[in-house]
Amino acid sequence: MAAVFFSKKALTAPPTVRTLASGVPSAPLVNFAVRSPAGHGHHEHGAVGPRSDAPARWAGGVSSSPVSGLSSKTFVSAPTTGVYQQRLLSTSAVCKDAPQVPDFSDYQAKSPSTNRGLAYFMIGSLGVLTASAAKSTVTEFLATMSASADVLALAKVEVELASIPEGKNVIIKWRGKPVFIRHRTQEEINEAKSTDWKTLRDPESDESRTKKPEWLVMLGVCTHLGCVPIGEAGDYGGWFCPCHGSHYDISGRIRKGPAPLNLEVPAYDFTEGDAKLIVG
Amino acid sequence: MLSRLPASSLKGLRSLAEARPSAARSAAQTASRVRFSSSSASSSAVKSFLDSRATLASATLLTVGSIAWYTHLYGSLPFLGEVHANSPAEEGLHPPHYPWSHGGLLDSFDHSSIRRGYQVYREVCAACHSLDRIAWRNLVGVSHSVDEVKAMAEEVEYEDGPNDQGEMFQRPGKLSDYMPPPYPNEEAARASNQGALPPDLSLIVKARHGGPDYIFALLTGYRDAPAGFEIRDGMNYNPYFPGNAISMARVLFDGLVEYEDGTPATTSQMAKDVVTFLNWAAEPEHDERKKAGLKAVILFSALTAISLYVKRYKWAPIKSRKIIYNPPADKGHH
Amino acid sequence: MGVFNTFYNTIAKRNSIFVPTIFATAFAFSISFDVGVTSFWDRWNQGKQWKDIRHKYVQDSE
């Protein structure tokens, strides 16, 4: 017991080791948990606690028993003790200067430049997928702001053109606003075309306002303050706004009165061999 | 109990009992020998117990096992509430699971079945059941072409207005109109059906426990009431209906409709088609949803895998580094 | 010189090439991924979708 009592002097002498009858070395009464001395001159304030580099008990270690003598077991590949540390009671091999144990070469990149290329490739791929997903997210989100299908279904109005005789106006409702459709006669077309439109307040040619000269399609909202003009009235044979006296001609252009612009032409199209007009 | 055991086992017990004190003694000896300077042995034992993989594995196993046991006992996951439209007691006979053409994770609707199902709905179900949430335009590109749907819609008169004289007027249907209801209001529906209200079918597949399986089983499940089961006048026996007495009589009989594509119109064929149609009506987004789900699963798995690689890549130098402290050389006394 | 080395030397070496390449690839990827998933979807659900039965009911005038 005296040999292993940890006195102020660090233990430097090897303990008595004897050999059992079986040939196994035995070192009874050796404290394997003894900590390393902090070195010469550090007696008073040495580190407390177990050695920091000693493997934990679950990792194996050296044990002694009267039956089997000294035995050393290792359950994990523990790191080797650094060379700068003194090893006092060692029955294992001496620590080498530059040990390659454990051998990490399997885990090391075969070629650093290839490894770098791979890393950049993976990070680039991450960027590609993220950018693609982000783009889809944004576009899908923006799509939720557009009109829904039931609103879009109401946004178009079909008109049977055969039911409108020549020289007649028809007013239909489209998105809550009146739309004027006029089946113009040949004289009206001639009159609209012969007008010197460049001198008008809102210069627009009749050709740019109609897709087919016999059909004039306009929003029936006065551009002045939003009244609904009266058809076949006014000084120019077109429309007349009763609110403030704006006169529109047979092409819906402003000719007289306070309104600043011509009557607006909505988007429309002819389908089924000109039998139908679709507004919207 | 002990008396019935053979002597040998008792002997074994005794030897075990003998072995134990000696083992304990030797353990105590080694402990007394080993523990000279260490005061942290017991706490490190607790720590190694907490750190060990066996502890982790057994704790996980215990958790999973108790959840599985609970689920087995009570039929639902613990701490997760469930809402059922019906309580199990009044649920009626549970419908069998049918192999729907759209049942799989990647299966779209069978659109020719939707088309046939619409025909069944129009010719049979629409006499009593409304389909309020489906507009004519919804059929376009799903089961019918634009011209077909326009023609079908124009056969129905809708009230519109007011016109210039401030009066409502009738006009032929347009694509934007919704399916016409068979009754103007709920009271009229009840009055024509002996007090029972035929439910709207727009979301019926989602609204019934069992979904398409239940509707199919209900439509094909009419039979004579078993002996002893009292059926009131005007009610019909159906084992799948909660309460087993349903106001709706059996409507589907073999050859009731004539399919334009020549499919034999058996009762089960019509039931399958109309349930597929109603399932589409309840989930019109179904096909797009499954397609988007497929895309999302592929994309997010790839993103997860690459993220794991990048995490390892970034952490490898941090985890494998070694910090060495070399104490300064002691210049004091020797 | 492996594939990844070539990748590094041609694309990743300069950030001014790397980042635009990522965005260009993302654009191409989102289109090709969409096309790929759609073609798989159409093959998986062959004969069930409206586009598969449309020809029975619509005679294209054009």
Side-chain angles (χ1 to χ4, degrees), chain B residues 5 10 12 14 16 18 78 96 136 175 199 203 207 228 276 298 312 329:
Chain B
L5 286 168
L10 279 177
R14 205 179 307 124
L16 233 170
E18 277 168 16
W136 292 106
L175 284 182
L203 295 168
T276 307
I298 294 174
R312 277 177 67 92

Side-chain angles (χ1 to χ4, degrees), chain B:
Chain B
M1 185 87 179
L2 272 175
S3 60
R4 277 205 266 157
L5 286 168
S8 58
S9 68
L10 279 177
K11 213 183 289 169
L13 263 178
R14 205 179 307 124
S15 63
L16 233 170
E18 277 168 16
R20 210 170 281 145
S22 68
R25 210 183 307 131
S26 65
Q29 274 173 359
T30 42
S32 69
R33 265 182 234 145
V34 166
R35 297 191 53 188
F36 277 115
S37 63
S38 164
S39 60
S40 63
S42 64
S43 71
S44 83
V46 170
K47 194 169 163 356
S48 71
F49 172 72
L50 286 178
D51 284 348
S52 82
R53 285 178 183 220
T55 313
L56 182 68
S58 51
T60 310
L61 208 62
L62 182 72
T63 314
V64 172
S66 31
I67 291 174
W69 190 36
Y70 183 97
T71 312
H72 173 71
L73 273 182
Y74 300 108
S76 66
L77 285 170
F79 311 121
L80 291 178
E82 279 187 37
V83 175
H84 293 293
N86 303 327
S87 76
E90 58 192 18
E91 205 166 65
L93 191 59
H94 204 75
H97 179 70
Y98 296 104
W100 294 104
S101 56
H102 56 272
L105 284 176
L106 297 176
D107 291 338
S108 75
F109 279 128
D110 183 356
H111 285 240
S112 40
S113 185
I114 295 179
R115 189 185 171 97
R116 289 193 298 267
Y118 172 74
Q119 190 185 347
V120 175
Y121 166 77
R122 178 55 54 205
E123 294 180 12
V124 182
C125 318
C128 300
H129 289 279
S130 56
L131 197 65
D132 284 347
R133 283 156 205 278
I134 298 298
W136 292 106
R137 61 185 162 79
N138 292 125
L139 292 175
V140 176
V142 173
S143 58
H144 295 73
S145 68
V146 183
D147 298 335
E148 287 172 321
V149 180
K150 270 184 186 167
M152 290 191 294
E154 277 166 10
E155 288 171 12
V156 185
E157 290 275 304
Y158 284 87
E159 192 179 53
D160 200 355
N163 61 6
D164 301 340
Q165 277 73 46
E167 289 156 2
M168 306 303 277
F169 58 93
Q170 295 292 117
R171 59 154 177 81
K174 294 188 289 189
L175 284 182
S176 56
D177 288 318
Y178 285 79
M179 294 274 166
Y183 304 108
N185 48 52
E186 185 186 326
E187 284 70 19
R190 284 193 189 279
S192 322
N193 289 288
Q194 298 163 333
L197 174 69
D200 184 75
L201 294 185
S202 309
L203 295 168
I204 200 77
V205 170
K206 275 180 168 174
R208 290 294 177 270
H209 184 66
D213 289 336
Y214 167 74
I215 312 280
F216 183 89
L218 188 84
L219 288 176
T220 56
Y222 285 95
R223 61 207 62 200
D224 293 335
F229 191 88
E230 199 72 31
I231 284 281
R232 280 192 291 121
D233 226 21
M235 303 293 272
N236 302 275
Y237 178 76
N238 194 316
Y240 297 99
F241 190 71
N244 292 357
I246 184 169
S247 300
M248 183 173 101
R250 175 177 171 179
V251 285
L252 294 180
F253 296 93
D254 287 354
L256 189 62
V257 302
E258 195 168 328
Y259 285 133
E260 56 185 351
D261 58 0
T263 310
T266 60
T267 301
S268 58
Q269 177 70 40
M270 285 187 287
K272 175 236 170 192
D273 288 340
V274 81
V275 169
T276 307
F277 170 73
L278 292 176
N279 204 338
W280 165 79
E283 298 177 286
E285 83 294 348
H286 174 280
D287 291 2
E288 278 306 306
R289 168 163 58 82
K290 283 186 173 171
K291 207 163 139 188
L294 172 65
K295 280 187 199 173
V297 166
I298 294 174
L299 205 59
F300 286 122
S301 330
L303 275 175
T304 309
I306 299 182
S307 304
L308 288 175
Y309 170 86
V310 172
K311 184 259 168 190
R312 277 177 67 92
Y313 177 77
K314 294 283 183 195
W315 275 87
I318 299 171
K319 287 207 161 190
S320 59
R321 73 185 168 183
K322 185 170 185 177
I323 298 174
I324 296 173
Y325 172 65
N326 280 322
D330 184 19
K331 286 168 188 156
H333 65 282
H334 232 273

Side-chain angles (χ1 to χ4, degrees), chain C:
Chain C
M1 292 292 276
V3 179
F4 295 121
N5 256 329
T6 322
F7 170 79
Y8 177 78
N9 288 328
T10 52
I11 292 166
K13 205 168 214 167
R14 291 176 182 281
N15 209 36
S16 55
I17 300 174
F18 193 41
V19 173
T21 309
I22 286 178
F23 282 111
T25 317
F27 182 72
F29 168 80
S30 60
I31 292 174
S32 58
F33 183 63
D34 198 44
V35 169
V37 169
T38 305
S39 73
F40 167 78
W41 174 264
D42 290 347
R43 191 149 5 110
W44 185 272
N45 293 306
Q46 205 158 31
K48 288 165 74 182
Q49 299 183 84
W50 168 247
K51 59 181 145 193
D52 299 325
I53 60 170
R54 182 177 182 272
H55 62 90
K56 289 189 214 165
Y57 310 109
V58 181
Q59 268 78 46
D60 282 320
S61 49
E62 282 87 12

